[in-house]
């Protein structure tokens, strides 16, 4: 895949971490991954149970990212905040596949929204830009995801991902053999912290999705 390019118009508003992985093996989440997720969820409940999202300091960066684009994060929630809310409400993650569970592990650990895509379904180079008026795409379990005015990933076939919801076209399945993961952060997010998140994600993919695991 070509290097992800951030459009000049939004470059002052955000920064991203990019992880590419190939080959990977995707299937049902294994026991070690499920145990790691369970331990993380228990830590999150112990730290944040009973606290409203606005009082959870770790959620502030994702909210700043949304507000930078004029999005109210209390009505359109970052995917990371939606995951944490599920955990604090005692709801399990939807059981999809091991790659999605690794993404959930990373997003909940960082409390940043993450997009996860089947790299083989992406056509040409990838640009991160602001969505145009009326722009949308068919979502995963959603008829249409509106991306007008929002940060959106675009390839030669059009938009396919943003910090709230990914597209059906590039979704990861058990046939996926190569991944693109994009970690979204606000412009003031420490680069060293973002680099550490990328390293964590690469390690998690290696431990749970390696073809020899």
């Amino acid at each position: 895949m070509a290097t992800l390019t951030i459009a000049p118009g939004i470059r002052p508003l955000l920064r991203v971490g990019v992880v590419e992985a190939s080959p990977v093996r995707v299937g049902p989440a294994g026991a070690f991954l499920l145990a790691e997720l369970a331990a993380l969820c228990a830590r999150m409940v112990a730290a944040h149970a009973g606290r409203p999202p606005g009082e959870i300091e770790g959620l502030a960066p994702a909210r700043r990212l949304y507000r930078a684009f004029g999005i109210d994060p209390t009505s359109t929630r970052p995917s990371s905040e939606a995951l944490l809310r599920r955990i604090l409400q005692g709801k399990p993650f939807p059981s999809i596949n091991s790659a999605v569970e690794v993404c959930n592990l990373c997003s909940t650990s960082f409390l940043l929204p993450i997009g996860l895509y089947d790299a083989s379904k992406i056509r040409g180079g990838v640009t991160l830009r602001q969505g145009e008026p009326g722009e949308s795409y068919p979502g995963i379990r959603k008829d249409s995801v509106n991306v007008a005015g929002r940060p959106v990933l675009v390839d030669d076939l059009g938009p396919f991902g943003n910090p709230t919801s990914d597209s059906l076209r590039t979704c990861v399945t058990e046939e996926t053999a190569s991944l693109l993961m994009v970690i979204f952060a606000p412009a003031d997010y420490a680069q060293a912290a973002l680099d550490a998140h990328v390293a964590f994600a690469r390690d998690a993919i290696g431990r749970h999705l390696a073809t020899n695991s």
Side-chain angles (χ1 to χ4, degrees):
M1 192 204 77
T3 302
L4 186 152
T5 301
I6 301 177
I10 67 168
R11 203 172 291 149
L13 303 180
L14 83 175
R15 55 181 47 178
V16 297
V18 178
V19 181
E20 295 179 75
S22 178
V24 296
R25 182 174 65 184
V26 180
F32 290 119
L33 175 53
L34 293 175
E36 193 170 347
L37 278 166
L40 174 61
C41 290
R43 293 195 300 272
M44 288 296 181
V45 170
H48 303 303
R51 300 174 64 194
E55 295 180 6
I56 298 174
E57 184 178 353
L59 294 175
R63 288 184 163 206
R64 289 199 303 276
L65 169 64
Y66 273 46
R67 291 192 178 103
F69 284 85
I71 306 167
D72 180 359
T74 64
S75 59
T76 302
R77 297 188 186 278
S79 56
S80 49
E81 182 168 328
L83 283 173
L84 183 60
R85 282 170 60 86
R86 287 187 68 91
I87 292 169
L88 300 183
Q89 292 168 0
K91 298 177 181 178
F93 292 141
S95 180
I96 300 174
N97 60 54
S98 54
V100 173
E101 295 287 22
V102 166
C103 187
N104 289 340
L105 174 71
C106 293
S107 188
T108 305
S109 297
F110 314 153
L111 293 180
L112 290 174
I114 297 178
L116 184 69
Y117 315 101
D118 184 327
S120 72
K121 299 174 182 176
I122 296 171
R123 297 291 177 264
V126 176
T127 299
L128 177 57
R129 60 166 172 78
Q130 194 161 18
E132 298 172 355
E135 200 164 32
S136 66
Y137 52 73
I140 302 171
R141 298 183 300 279
K142 295 181 179 180
D143 290 338
S144 181
V145 176
N146 170 42
V147 294
R150 302 176 183 182
V152 60
L153 294 162
V154 183
D155 67 358
D156 289 354
L157 299 180
F160 66 87
N162 79 91
T164 300
S165 183
D166 293 327
S167 73
L168 184 62
R169 172 168 68 88
T170 55
C171 72
V172 173
T173 70
E174 294 194 8
E175 285 70 51
T176 296
S178 57
L179 294 174
L180 170 66
M181 177 186 285
V182 179
I183 306 166
F184 297 93
D188 62 356
Y189 202 79
Q191 186 62 52
L194 191 56
D195 292 343
H197 296 338
V198 168
F200 179 101
R202 286 177 177 154
D203 178 68
I205 290 171
R207 286 186 289 110
H208 297 300
L209 303 179
T211 54
N212 60 353
S213 62

